[in-house]
Structures are given as structure tokens and as C-alpha cells.
Amino acid sequence: MISTSAAAAVAVSIAEEHGVRVRRPVVLQDSFNLRIHLRPAPIVARVPTVTALGRARPDEVLRRELEVVSYLHKSGAPVVPPSDLLPAGPHVRDGVVVSFWAYVAHDPDYRVTPEEAGRGLAGLHEAMRGFPGRLLYLGPVLEEPARLLELLDGEVEADVLARLREAHAGLAARLEGGPVQAVHGDAHPGNLLATPAGLLWNDFEECMAAPVGWDLACLLRTTRLDGRAALRAYGADPDDPCLPAFMAARALQGTLWMLVRALGIPSEAAAGRAALEAWLRDPSGVRR
């Protein structure tokens, strides 16, 4: 996996080639992806790091995200837009993929309420229904975990890997929940930024074609707020019988990504193991 310093150097180099002066790049986040504020420019560079391990074509993932968010921004939806100060990308150099986004000042301590999250997601889904592009049906839920399971072969106990594979194999037949449309893919309150312009949705890298039940399950499972209240604010029934299958799939997806992150970042091994043990206790995804 590429180091933080190497990824930052690539992002800065590409930005400067497009006339952006970067005096003091600041790492905003270094987890599954690297986000760097290219100070003093109001630009955030995003580089897939851990996520690049689990995706055959991370550039295609960023291209899809940029297309969806550009459409939403032009439609007036509340989203953090791609940067308009240089080509947003995706740029590929030496195996490193970079996209550029507008830097938006926000309050990281703001606590999104269930009502804000639910109503915000309802409005986002309404805006996303008009997206004219083609998105993979449940790609981040069905296709990406298959690749993650391959990476984990030999890294976890054989019997545990067999359980993970069996759970994944049974998902496709279970994940049915009404009409399909473009959805956010990772719709939890952590991806809502409290800005002077209001709450803005961020991080659409898992956007896909799916029933809205997928995003509702993401919101229902969050530990950041009362998910049941958020779904009621959305206008959905938190006891909808279609939701448990999505919750189980979300729990499996999250567990696999935590385990793969530990492969790329050894210091995260304990967190990965804790996620696995939680899933083994309750693969339904109901407990959080």
C-alpha cells in the first residue's frame, strides 16, 4: 500500500502542474482513503489507499463518484462539489489515483439530529432518482466483497473465512427491496458536513444502483444517532421486513473492509479483529 507521504507528494505534484500553489498540505483524514487539504488553496485531494487494495480499478470508482456528485451539484442538491480550480480527475500517476474536491469549512463537532439525517437522505434520494448515468447494481455490496475475501485468504482462520464466504454467497438472493435507483451507498451521519451553507453530503465513492433500503439500513445501523427515529423522519418504517437483509449485508461489508484495512495498516489489527468477533457473534447486523 502506498505511504501517506508518497500519496501526498503525487497529489501535490499534479495540483501544481495545473497552476495550484501548495505551500502547506495538511492531512485531514488517513483511514481508508487519504484526504489532504492543499493549503492555501481551497482544494482537498483524495487518494484511495486501503480502498485501492480491494478495488481492481479505483480510478473507475472515483470517476463514477465524480459523475454522480457533479450531476447532484448542478441540480442544486446539498453536496460537497468537485473542485472547479483544476480538472477534478480522476488522475492516475505511478499507480496512484487522485481526485480533487472543494474544501468546505465545517464544524466536526456538530451532532446531526435524526430528523436532519432522515429528511436529508429523503431529499438526496429524490435528487438522485434523476441521475441519467449507468451504475453497477449493488457493486460495492456484491462485487467488492468478493475481492476482499480473496485478499483475506490465508489471513484469517480457514473456518472463519468459510463462514464469511457463505454469508456473502447468500446475499444476492436476499437483497431485494423494491425499485432500484442511484443511492449514496454509505449514508451515515459522518458523511454529512455541517457547513455555513447547511448540511452537505460527502463521500459518494460507494454510490450504486440499489433499492433505497440499502441507504436506510446504513442509517439504521449507525451508532451516531437514533437510527429508528431517522428512518421515521425519512418517511420509512424502521421495521420494514426488507431491511434485515440489507443490514446483514452492511455488517458483512464493514467487517471485510476492517479486516483488509488491518492488512494495509498493521496498527489496525486489533480493530479488525474486534469487528470480526462482533460479526461472528451477530452476523445479522442488528447489534452495533
Side-chain angles (χ1 to χ4, degrees):
M1 189 178 76
I2 187 171
S3 68
T4 297
S5 58
V10 171
V12 169
S13 174
I14 294 172
E16 290 184 334
E17 287 176 7
H18 287 89
V20 176
R21 176 176 289 186
V22 182
R23 293 180 177 174
R24 190 164 61 92
V26 176
V27 174
L28 301 177
Q29 186 180 46
D30 188 4
S31 181
F32 290 93
N33 296 298
L34 178 66
R35 288 184 174 88
I36 312 160
H37 182 191
L38 304 181
R39 291 183 177 179
I43 300 171
V44 173
R46 181 172 174 178
V47 182
T49 51
V50 172
T51 57
L53 297 176
R55 292 168 178 163
R57 291 290 306 275
D59 57 318
E60 288 299 323
V61 173
L62 295 193
R63 181 173 290 108
R64 177 188 68 207
E65 178 182 28
L66 287 164
E67 288 175 355
V68 169
V69 177
S70 295
Y71 167 81
L72 290 171
H73 180 56
K74 290 176 182 176
S75 300
V79 296
V80 176
S83 176
D84 59 2
L85 299 179
L86 75 171
H91 303 263
V92 182
R93 176 169 299 173
D94 299 328
V96 179
V97 185
V98 185
S99 59
F100 294 105
W101 301 83
Y103 174 79
V104 178
H106 65 283
D107 180 1
D109 297 320
Y110 183 85
R111 296 182 65 85
V112 176
T113 68
E115 291 73 22
E116 289 172 329
R119 292 171 185 166
L121 185 57
L124 180 66
H125 281 166
E126 182 177 355
M128 295 187 80
R129 287 189 190 104
F131 177 68
R134 180 182 177 274
L135 298 173
L136 292 175
Y137 174 70
L138 287 171
V141 185
L142 298 177
E143 295 185 12
E144 288 182 4
R147 182 174 174 85
L148 301 180
L149 286 164
E150 292 178 5
L151 294 173
L152 293 171
D153 193 355
E155 302 292 338
V156 299
E157 298 88 337
D159 60 327
V160 171
L161 185 62
R163 285 189 61 181
L164 292 167
R165 282 177 166 156
E166 181 181 6
H168 176 254
L171 289 180
R174 295 181 60 198
L175 296 179
E176 298 179 0
V180 171
Q181 67 158 80
V183 301
H184 183 285
D186 195 18
H188 61 76
N191 283 330
L192 268 174
L193 303 185
T195 77
L199 293 175
L200 301 182
W201 286 98
N202 190 35
D203 192 1
F204 284 75
E205 69 175 319
E206 293 182 3
C207 60
M208 57 184 161
V212 297
W214 174 261
D215 276 358
L216 295 177
C218 294
L219 189 54
L220 185 58
R221 291 195 75 246
T222 184
T223 59
R224 298 170 184 262
L225 49 71
D226 183 342
R228 294 180 64 84
L231 260 64
R232 287 192 289 268
Y234 177 97
D237 179 3
D239 295 313
D240 186 321
C242 293
L243 291 177
F246 291 110
M247 294 177 70
R250 175 68 169 177
L252 176 62
Q253 178 200 43
T255 300
L256 295 177
W257 274 114
M258 290 291 287
L259 290 170
V260 168
R261 183 171 71 162
L263 299 183
I265 309 175
S267 61
E268 295 296 327
R273 191 69 199 184
L276 175 60
E277 290 173 354
W279 183 84
L280 290 170
R281 288 193 301 270
D282 179 25
S284 73
V286 173
R287 296 179 185 173
R288 297 171 293 172

